């Protein structure tokens, strides 16, 4: 199984920073994504960064990279996890929305179990952070037609690992313990999905 980890956004993406400017989402995403890949490789899994560059690779190009790998490996042999941190408001003021969430594309897909395992691992590893979910269909994911989810040919999920516009979430995102927990939940959720 090829595990692709997408570190969302690049250094030139407008905004994507905490209201005080000290937290940059692109740096956080890359740090977490690289550690997830390293930890999965240490466990013997075939994991790869989708975007090793610091530049903001357009979504169309990211999806092409995924789909080129899917064409070689087969869609049953590839999964994609896109790593993000969330924000709310105008970017200049601290806001109250908080929590961790996972997204799949709309409808029942092969990504649903991956999202469910990630959410369960988040509940276990991030007890200090609220887990956000849209539970009307009985599972723990949100369903949205995000480009990276809709235009890739393999099971794909997107995680939002807390709000950097919320002071309490930001403290977790900036802490060594918080980053370790966020990395661990991804690794554990992926491994549980692949081995169940």
């Amino acid at each position: 199984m090829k595990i692709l980890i997408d570190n969302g956004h690049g250094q030139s993406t407008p905004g994507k920073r905490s209201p005080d400017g000290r937290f940059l989402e692109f740096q956080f995403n890359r740090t977490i994504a690289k550690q997830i890949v390293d930890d999965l490789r240490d466990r013997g899994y075939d994991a790869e960064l989708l975007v090793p560059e610091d530049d903001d690779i357009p979504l169309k190009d990211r999806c092409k990279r995924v789909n080129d790998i899917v064409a070689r490996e087969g869609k049953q042999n590839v999964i994609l996890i896109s790593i993000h941190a969330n924000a709310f408001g105008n970017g200049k003021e601290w806001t109250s929305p908080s929590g961790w969430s996972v997204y799949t594309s709309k409808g029942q897909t092969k990504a649903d179990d991956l999202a469910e395992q990630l959410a369960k691992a988040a509940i276990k590893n991030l007890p200090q952070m609220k887990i956000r979910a849209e539970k009307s269909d009985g599972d723990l994911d949100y369903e949205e037609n995000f480009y990276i989810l809709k235009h890739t040919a393999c099971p794909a999920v997107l995680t939002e690992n807390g709000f950097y516009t919320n002071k309490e979430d930001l403290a977790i995102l900036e802490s060594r313990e918080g980053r370790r927990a966020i990395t661990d939940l991804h690794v554990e959720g992926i491994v549980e999905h692949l081995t169940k």
Side-chain angles (χ1 to χ4, degrees):
M1 178 66 70
K2 172 74 79 175
I3 305 162
L4 300 175
I5 306 296
D6 172 45
N7 38 347
H9 307 300
Q11 61 186 348
S12 58
T13 308
K16 306 300 181 187
R17 64 190 65 229
S18 59
D20 60 9
R22 73 176 191 254
F23 177 91
L24 303 175
E25 186 185 352
F26 94 94
Q27 288 178 342
F28 170 82
N29 295 346
R30 276 159 178 70
T31 299
I32 298 296
K34 182 179 183 316
Q35 192 60 60
I36 293 168
V37 167
D38 290 348
D39 288 4
L40 286 167
R41 286 178 175 171
D42 286 347
R43 292 181 181 218
Y45 289 93
D46 182 8
E48 177 181 333
L49 283 176
L50 183 65
V51 181
E53 307 93 334
D54 283 341
D55 294 332
D56 197 5
I57 304 303
L59 284 166
K60 182 178 178 184
D61 295 340
R62 289 173 189 249
C63 291
K64 182 178 185 320
R65 289 182 185 186
V66 173
N67 292 334
D68 286 348
I69 293 168
V70 169
R72 285 195 313 269
E73 306 285 337
K75 67 181 175 183
Q76 72 280 5
N77 298 318
V78 182
I79 58 173
L80 169 72
I81 300 90
S82 188
I83 308 297
H84 294 259
N86 220 334
F88 184 81
N90 62 17
K92 298 175 182 156
E93 299 168 347
W94 298 106
T95 59
S96 60
S98 65
W100 184 95
S101 54
V102 61
Y103 291 81
T104 62
S105 57
K106 291 187 180 283
Q108 291 295 311
T109 72
K110 293 191 180 286
D112 288 348
D113 179 70
L114 175 57
E116 192 75 4
Q117 299 310 322
L118 287 165
K120 288 178 181 177
I123 292 166
K124 173 187 164 195
N125 286 278
L126 275 179
Q128 70 276 42
M129 191 179 284
K130 176 174 73 175
I131 305 302
R132 298 162 56 92
E134 198 292 294
K135 299 178 184 173
S136 65
D137 59 355
D139 54 29
L140 295 170
D141 65 330
Y142 286 99
E143 296 183 358
E144 293 291 344
N145 284 325
F146 292 150
Y147 195 96
I148 194 87
L149 303 178
K150 190 174 177 185
H151 295 280
T152 47
C154 65
V157 302
L158 182 149
T159 61
E160 292 280 10
N161 294 283
F163 282 74
Y164 53 84
T165 49
N166 176 287
K167 287 183 178 180
E168 289 77 24
D169 278 13
L170 181 60
I172 297 167
L173 297 178
E174 291 187 315
S175 72
R176 178 178 298 176
E177 298 78 13
R179 289 182 179 213
R180 182 73 258 170
I182 290 166
T183 300
D184 288 347
L185 80 85
H186 284 88
V187 173
E188 290 176 21
I190 291 165
V191 169
E192 184 64 25
H193 169 71
L194 295 178
T195 57
K196 65 178 282 219

